[in-house]
């Protein structure tokens, strides 16, 4: 442990910025913790729908379980971020990974009890909402503390490239999660959830023993006002984050309907084709995250470029009724665009605030992202009922205005 801490604290940047670089082992542990969380979320998304029907839950109830969890993340992420500014990045991050493992195990057990006939219908709904709220309460500290780790150890001009670590972890997890569900579900529908809980537990143990504290951690000034949501330095960036993630959620929530309606497909073929488009999006997203990490563009540039590409990608959906390959092109271009946008937005929020406000800024960004997944899944189907083009134009406006506002404000910082 002492050897790892020394490596962390003595690996300095070559540009003389005074920032102590994050060691490879520390980066790997942070990446693994975030990846496990992402895997757990996508595994659950893969199996909760059919399991919900087994428990006599409606589609609306299944969606409400996820929405309540997202709302909880919105409410508590800023608190966790401020907590990491005060007590340190490591305690908050480790608590998040441990909490992920324990609450995923608990939620799996609750599902198992429901399948065994202990409760169905509204009773099952109440139990699962409680379990998912507990999950959200404890995992919400992971992203803000990870962002704080990165902000503490990188110069402002390199912040967007460094923040790609967070986006890359979630991208890899979003690919591995459904793959894990596909491989392990034949052994039992809950086996993938138990497996990812075990993975999270192993990563938590490694973090306890080998993840050092941030070298730039300083005692917070108890008299200094905490960073607020409406702080003029950051609220326009958060509004941009919200717009971008509303657009993402609108497209994701309605894509299966769109694919099915365009092709007149059955349920199985719709799921297969939609899954292929999501996989293409995830692969392109991960490739863009890797490119941003290597190129290290300024945050405003990453947001502007990513926003332009994401807007073009969404606009191609308007041509899908004419040429089906537009769907594949749209998925790939959107993946690249959002892969550049997200680290740029995170980096921009980071450089807008002071060194002792990094965790708080990361918490507000995580809350804005989660809020997008509350609004988007409602706005997407509502506009789709009018016409698919209404959904896609609305998503274009959200991502275009959101990215434009954020890029302008970050450039001013």
């Amino acid at each position: 442990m002492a050897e790892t801490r020394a490596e962390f604290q003595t690996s300095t940047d070559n540009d003389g910025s005074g920032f102590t670089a994050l060691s490879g082992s520390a980066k790997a542990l942070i990446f693994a913790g975030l990846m496990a969380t992402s895997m757990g979320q996508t595994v659950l998304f893969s199996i909760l729908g059919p399991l919900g029907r087994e428990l006599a839950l409606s589609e609306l109830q299944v969606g409400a379980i996820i929405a309540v969890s997202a709302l909880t993340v919105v409410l508590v992420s800023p608190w966790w971020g401020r907590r990491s500014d005060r007590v340190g990045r490591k305690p908050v991050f480790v608590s998040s990974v441990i909490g992920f493992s324990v609450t995923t195990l608990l939620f799996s057990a609750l599902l198992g009890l429901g399948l065994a006939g202990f409760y169905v219908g509204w009773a099952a709904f109440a139990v699962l909402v409680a379990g998912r709220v507990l999950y959200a309460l404890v995992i919400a500290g992971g992203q803000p503390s990870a962002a704080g780790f990165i902000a503490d150890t990188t110069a402002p001009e390199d912040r967007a490239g460094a923040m790609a670590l967070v986006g890359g972890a979630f991208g890899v997890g979003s690919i591995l999660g459904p793959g894990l569900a596909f491989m392990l579900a034949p052994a039992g529908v809950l086996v993938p959830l138990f497996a990812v809980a075990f993975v999270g537990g192993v990563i938590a143990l490694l973090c306890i023993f080998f993840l050092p504290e941030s070298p730039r951690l300083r005692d917070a000034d108890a008299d200094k006002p905490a960073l607020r949501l409406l702080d003029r330095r950051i609220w326009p960036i958060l509004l941009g984050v919200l717009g971008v993630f509303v657009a993402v959620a609108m497209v994701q929530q309605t894509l299966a309907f769109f694919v099915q309606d365009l092709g007149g497909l059955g349920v199985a073929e719709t799921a297969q084709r939609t899954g292929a488009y999501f996989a293409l999006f995830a692969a392109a997203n991960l490739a863009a995250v890797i490119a941003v990490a290597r190129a290290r563009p300024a945050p405003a540039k990453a947001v502007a470029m990513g926003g332009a590409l994401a807007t073009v990608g969404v606009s191609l959906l308007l041509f899908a009724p004419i040429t089906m390959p537009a769907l594949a092109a749209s998925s790939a271009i959107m993946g690249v665009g959002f892969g550049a946008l997200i680290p740029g937005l995170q980096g921009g929020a980071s450089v807008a605030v002071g060194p002792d406000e990094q965790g708080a800024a990361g918490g507000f960004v995580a809350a804005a992202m989660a809020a997008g997944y509350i609004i988007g899944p409602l706005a997407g189907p509502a506009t789709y009922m009018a016409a698919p083009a209404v959904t896609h134009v609305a998503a274009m406006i959200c991502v275009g205005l959101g990215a434009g506002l954020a890029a302008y404000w970050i450039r001013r910082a």
Side-chain angles (χ1 to χ4, degrees):
M1 181 175 178
E3 182 178 339
T4 303
R5 187 181 298 276
E7 177 193 359
F8 183 95
Q9 293 182 334
T10 59
S11 176
T12 54
D13 286 347
N14 294 327
D15 61 2
S17 64
F19 284 83
T20 301
L22 204 60
S23 71
S25 59
K27 288 180 182 178
L29 289 172
I30 294 170
F31 184 94
L34 295 174
M35 181 189 71
T37 303
S38 178
M39 288 177 63
Q41 291 172 342
T42 52
V43 165
L44 184 65
F45 292 159
S46 299
I47 66 175
L48 187 58
L51 283 179
R53 287 178 173 173
E54 291 293 319
L55 299 177
L57 300 178
S58 68
E59 287 80 359
L60 183 60
Q61 286 174 311
V62 171
I65 292 171
I66 301 300
V68 170
S69 176
L71 177 60
T72 304
V73 172
V74 170
L75 296 176
V76 302
S77 288
W79 182 87
W80 277 117
R82 288 191 292 266
R83 186 71 177 166
S84 79
D85 286 332
R86 291 186 175 274
V87 305
R89 313 301 183 200
K90 179 178 178 177
V92 173
F93 188 78
V94 171
S95 297
S96 171
V97 182
I98 293 173
F100 162 76
S101 178
V102 172
T103 56
T104 299
L105 190 64
L106 172 64
F107 194 78
S108 304
L110 294 176
L111 285 170
L113 289 173
L115 293 175
F118 283 85
Y119 36 71
V120 293
W122 282 103
F125 175 73
V127 168
L128 295 180
V129 165
R132 199 64 183 169
V133 166
L134 181 60
Y135 165 90
L137 285 172
V138 296
I139 64 97
Q143 184 173 327
S145 56
F149 258 123
I150 294 166
D152 292 343
T153 56
T154 54
E157 62 270 18
D158 295 329
R159 203 65 54 80
M163 288 292 180
L165 177 75
V166 177
F170 282 109
V172 171
S174 69
I175 295 172
L176 294 181
L180 187 70
F182 177 79
M183 290 187 295
L184 297 183
V189 70
L190 295 178
V191 171
L193 275 179
F194 283 112
V196 80
F198 173 77
V199 170
V202 171
I203 294 170
L205 287 174
L206 292 174
C207 287
I208 289 172
F209 290 107
F210 299 111
L211 181 65
E213 184 51 90
S214 166
R216 291 181 69 88
L217 182 68
R218 64 195 65 193
D219 293 331
D221 184 353
D223 296 327
K224 182 178 180 179
L227 182 68
R228 300 297 181 186
L229 176 64
L230 296 181
D231 190 304
R232 67 180 304 274
R233 295 172 296 167
I234 197 172
W235 74 259
I237 301 173
L238 298 176
L239 189 59
V241 173
L242 177 64
V244 167
F245 275 82
V246 166
V248 173
M250 288 179 71
V251 173
Q252 288 180 338
Q253 192 69 24
T254 58
L255 185 61
F257 299 138
F258 192 49
V259 170
Q260 185 173 35
D261 292 344
L262 281 180
L265 307 176
V267 174
E269 193 173 1
T270 297
Q272 185 179 30
R273 290 196 184 182
T274 304
Y277 292 130
F278 276 132
L280 181 58
F281 175 93
N285 183 274
L286 181 58
V289 165
I290 293 172
V292 169
R294 291 180 176 177
R296 297 190 176 189
K301 184 176 181 181
V303 171
M305 292 177 60
L309 286 170
T311 304
V312 170
V314 176
S315 73
L316 290 179
L317 293 173
L318 297 172
F319 298 94
I322 303 171
T323 169
M324 287 294 286
L327 271 173
S330 171
S331 298
I333 295 173
M334 279 194 293
V336 173
F338 288 118
L341 256 175
I342 295 170
L345 291 167
Q346 291 171 320
S350 175
V351 300
V353 301
D356 56 350
E357 298 172 310
Q358 294 299 320
F364 281 127
V365 171
M369 291 178 176
Y373 276 98
I374 297 173
I375 299 171
L378 299 175
T383 53
Y384 190 89
M385 291 171 64
V390 176
T391 302
H392 303 147
V393 170
M396 286 171 55
I397 293 172
C398 285
V399 72
L401 291 181
L405 174 64
Y408 170 75
W409 208 259
I410 292 168
R411 196 171 283 115
R412 286 186 48 176

mmCIF file of all heavy atoms in Angstrom, residues 11 72 105 109 123 177 191 194-196 206 218 224 259 298 315 340 390:
data_model
loop_
_atom_site.group_PDB
_atom_site.id
_atom_site.type_symbol
_atom_site.label_atom_id
_atom_site.label_comp_id
_atom_site.label_asym_id
_atom_site.label_seq_id
_atom_site.Cartn_x
_atom_site.Cartn_y
_atom_site.Cartn_z
ATOM 1 N N SER A 11 4.470 10.779 -9.205
ATOM 2 C CA SER A 11 4.392 10.818 -10.663
ATOM 3 C C SER A 11 3.859 12.168 -11.087
ATOM 4 O O SER A 11 2.663 12.399 -11.099
ATOM 5 C CB SER A 11 3.461 9.695 -11.170
ATOM 6 O OG SER A 11 3.302 9.780 -12.556
ATOM 7 N N THR A 72 -33.534 9.821 -7.182
ATOM 8 C CA THR A 72 -32.730 9.760 -5.958
ATOM 9 C C THR A 72 -31.301 10.194 -6.231
ATOM 10 O O THR A 72 -30.695 10.930 -5.437
ATOM 11 C CB THR A 72 -32.758 8.338 -5.380
ATOM 12 O OG1 THR A 72 -34.113 7.929 -5.166
ATOM 13 C CG2 THR A 72 -32.006 8.267 -4.065
ATOM 14 N N LEU A 105 -26.633 -6.985 -4.532
ATOM 15 C CA LEU A 105 -26.909 -8.299 -3.945
ATOM 16 C C LEU A 105 -28.281 -8.302 -3.282
ATOM 17 O O LEU A 105 -29.078 -9.247 -3.449
ATOM 18 C CB LEU A 105 -25.821 -8.637 -2.938
ATOM 19 C CG LEU A 105 -25.799 -10.064 -2.379
ATOM 20 C CD1 LEU A 105 -25.513 -11.073 -3.473
ATOM 21 C CD2 LEU A 105 -24.755 -10.177 -1.271
ATOM 22 N N ALA A 109 -31.724 -10.425 -4.285
ATOM 23 C CA ALA A 109 -32.462 -11.259 -3.339
ATOM 24 C C ALA A 109 -33.937 -10.871 -3.291
ATOM 25 O O ALA A 109 -34.823 -11.742 -3.210
ATOM 26 C CB ALA A 109 -31.841 -11.132 -1.949
ATOM 27 N N ALA A 123 -47.325 -4.902 -3.997
ATOM 28 C CA ALA A 123 -46.397 -5.211 -2.908
ATOM 29 C C ALA A 123 -44.987 -5.373 -3.457
ATOM 30 O O ALA A 123 -44.012 -4.860 -2.884
ATOM 31 C CB ALA A 123 -46.844 -6.483 -2.181
ATOM 32 N N GLY A 177 -22.071 -5.253 -19.767
ATOM 33 C CA GLY A 177 -23.245 -5.626 -18.987
ATOM 34 C C GLY A 177 -24.223 -6.505 -19.751
ATOM 35 O O GLY A 177 -24.546 -7.621 -19.302
ATOM 36 N N VAL A 191 -28.644 -14.776 -12.030
ATOM 37 C CA VAL A 191 -27.200 -15.047 -11.938
ATOM 38 C C VAL A 191 -26.357 -13.860 -12.411
ATOM 39 O O VAL A 191 -25.350 -13.524 -11.770
ATOM 40 C CB VAL A 191 -26.840 -16.329 -12.710
ATOM 41 C CG1 VAL A 191 -25.318 -16.505 -12.812
ATOM 42 C CG2 VAL A 191 -27.443 -17.541 -12.012
ATOM 43 N N PHE A 194 -26.086 -11.361 -9.519
ATOM 44 C CA PHE A 194 -25.217 -11.853 -8.451
ATOM 45 C C PHE A 194 -23.750 -11.784 -8.884
ATOM 46 O O PHE A 194 -22.864 -11.445 -8.088
ATOM 47 C CB PHE A 194 -25.587 -13.292 -8.087
ATOM 48 C CG PHE A 194 -26.824 -13.412 -7.247
ATOM 49 C CD1 PHE A 194 -27.972 -13.989 -7.748
ATOM 50 C CD2 PHE A 194 -26.841 -12.926 -5.946
ATOM 51 C CE1 PHE A 194 -29.121 -14.101 -6.977
ATOM 52 C CE2 PHE A 194 -27.987 -13.026 -5.160
ATOM 53 C CZ PHE A 194 -29.136 -13.621 -5.674
ATOM 54 N N ALA A 195 -23.484 -12.085 -10.150
ATOM 55 C CA ALA A 195 -22.102 -12.065 -10.653
ATOM 56 C C ALA A 195 -21.526 -10.656 -10.617
ATOM 57 O O ALA A 195 -20.384 -10.439 -10.191
ATOM 58 C CB ALA A 195 -22.054 -12.624 -12.077
ATOM 59 N N VAL A 196 -22.307 -9.663 -11.050
ATOM 60 C CA VAL A 196 -21.782 -8.301 -11.083
ATOM 61 C C VAL A 196 -21.638 -7.748 -9.665
ATOM 62 O O VAL A 196 -20.745 -6.935 -9.389
ATOM 63 C CB VAL A 196 -22.676 -7.402 -11.968
ATOM 64 C CG1 VAL A 196 -23.925 -6.933 -11.244
ATOM 65 C CG2 VAL A 196 -21.901 -6.205 -12.495
ATOM 66 N N LEU A 206 -10.026 -4.222 -3.477
ATOM 67 C CA LEU A 206 -8.791 -3.705 -4.071
ATOM 68 C C LEU A 206 -8.660 -2.203 -3.825
ATOM 69 O O LEU A 206 -7.561 -1.699 -3.540
ATOM 70 C CB LEU A 206 -8.782 -3.994 -5.571
ATOM 71 C CG LEU A 206 -8.655 -5.471 -5.968
ATOM 72 C CD1 LEU A 206 -8.816 -5.631 -7.478
ATOM 73 C CD2 LEU A 206 -7.315 -6.038 -5.519
ATOM 74 N N ARG A 218 -7.368 19.149 0.374
ATOM 75 C CA ARG A 218 -7.079 20.184 1.353
ATOM 76 C C ARG A 218 -8.263 20.301 2.295
ATOM 77 O O ARG A 218 -9.387 19.904 1.964
ATOM 78 C CB ARG A 218 -6.824 21.528 0.672
ATOM 79 C CG ARG A 218 -8.035 22.067 -0.068
ATOM 80 C CD ARG A 218 -7.641 23.173 -1.007
ATOM 81 N NE ARG A 218 -6.787 22.660 -2.060
ATOM 82 C CZ ARG A 218 -6.102 23.450 -2.877
ATOM 83 N NH1 ARG A 218 -6.153 24.743 -2.724
ATOM 84 N NH2 ARG A 218 -5.348 22.931 -3.830
ATOM 85 N N LYS A 224 -16.686 28.915 4.288
ATOM 86 C CA LYS A 224 -16.924 29.244 2.886
ATOM 87 C C LYS A 224 -18.247 28.632 2.425
ATOM 88 O O LYS A 224 -18.505 27.457 2.654
ATOM 89 C CB LYS A 224 -15.786 28.705 2.017
ATOM 90 C CG LYS A 224 -15.945 29.053 0.549
ATOM 91 C CD LYS A 224 -14.771 28.535 -0.259
ATOM 92 C CE LYS A 224 -14.921 28.867 -1.736
ATOM 93 N NZ LYS A 224 -13.787 28.391 -2.541
ATOM 94 N N VAL A 259 -37.709 1.580 -34.860
ATOM 95 C CA VAL A 259 -37.225 0.446 -35.653
ATOM 96 C C VAL A 259 -38.383 -0.483 -36.014
ATOM 97 O O VAL A 259 -38.516 -0.935 -37.157
ATOM 98 C CB VAL A 259 -36.136 -0.315 -34.881
ATOM 99 C CG1 VAL A 259 -35.797 -1.635 -35.578
ATOM 100 C CG2 VAL A 259 -34.873 0.539 -34.750
ATOM 101 N N ALA A 298 -9.227 21.041 -25.507
ATOM 102 C CA ALA A 298 -9.789 21.914 -24.488
ATOM 103 C C ALA A 298 -11.265 21.566 -24.295
ATOM 104 O O ALA A 298 -11.943 21.166 -25.253
ATOM 105 C CB ALA A 298 -9.645 23.364 -24.909
ATOM 106 N N SER A 315 -30.144 14.197 -36.531
ATOM 107 C CA SER A 315 -30.847 14.669 -37.728
ATOM 108 C C SER A 315 -30.992 13.567 -38.774
ATOM 109 O O SER A 315 -31.949 13.558 -39.552
ATOM 110 C CB SER A 315 -30.117 15.873 -38.324
ATOM 111 O OG SER A 315 -28.904 15.480 -38.959
ATOM 112 N N ALA A 340 -17.477 12.535 -27.298
ATOM 113 C CA ALA A 340 -16.683 13.758 -27.115
ATOM 114 C C ALA A 340 -17.374 14.740 -26.184
ATOM 115 O O ALA A 340 -16.728 15.460 -25.412
ATOM 116 C CB ALA A 340 -16.432 14.418 -28.472
ATOM 117 N N VAL A 390 -41.273 14.579 -34.688
ATOM 118 C CA VAL A 390 -41.351 15.544 -33.589
ATOM 119 C C VAL A 390 -40.324 15.189 -32.518
ATOM 120 O O VAL A 390 -39.627 16.058 -31.985
ATOM 121 C CB VAL A 390 -42.772 15.573 -32.995
ATOM 122 C CG1 VAL A 390 -42.829 16.507 -31.783
ATOM 123 C CG2 VAL A 390 -43.786 16.022 -34.042
#
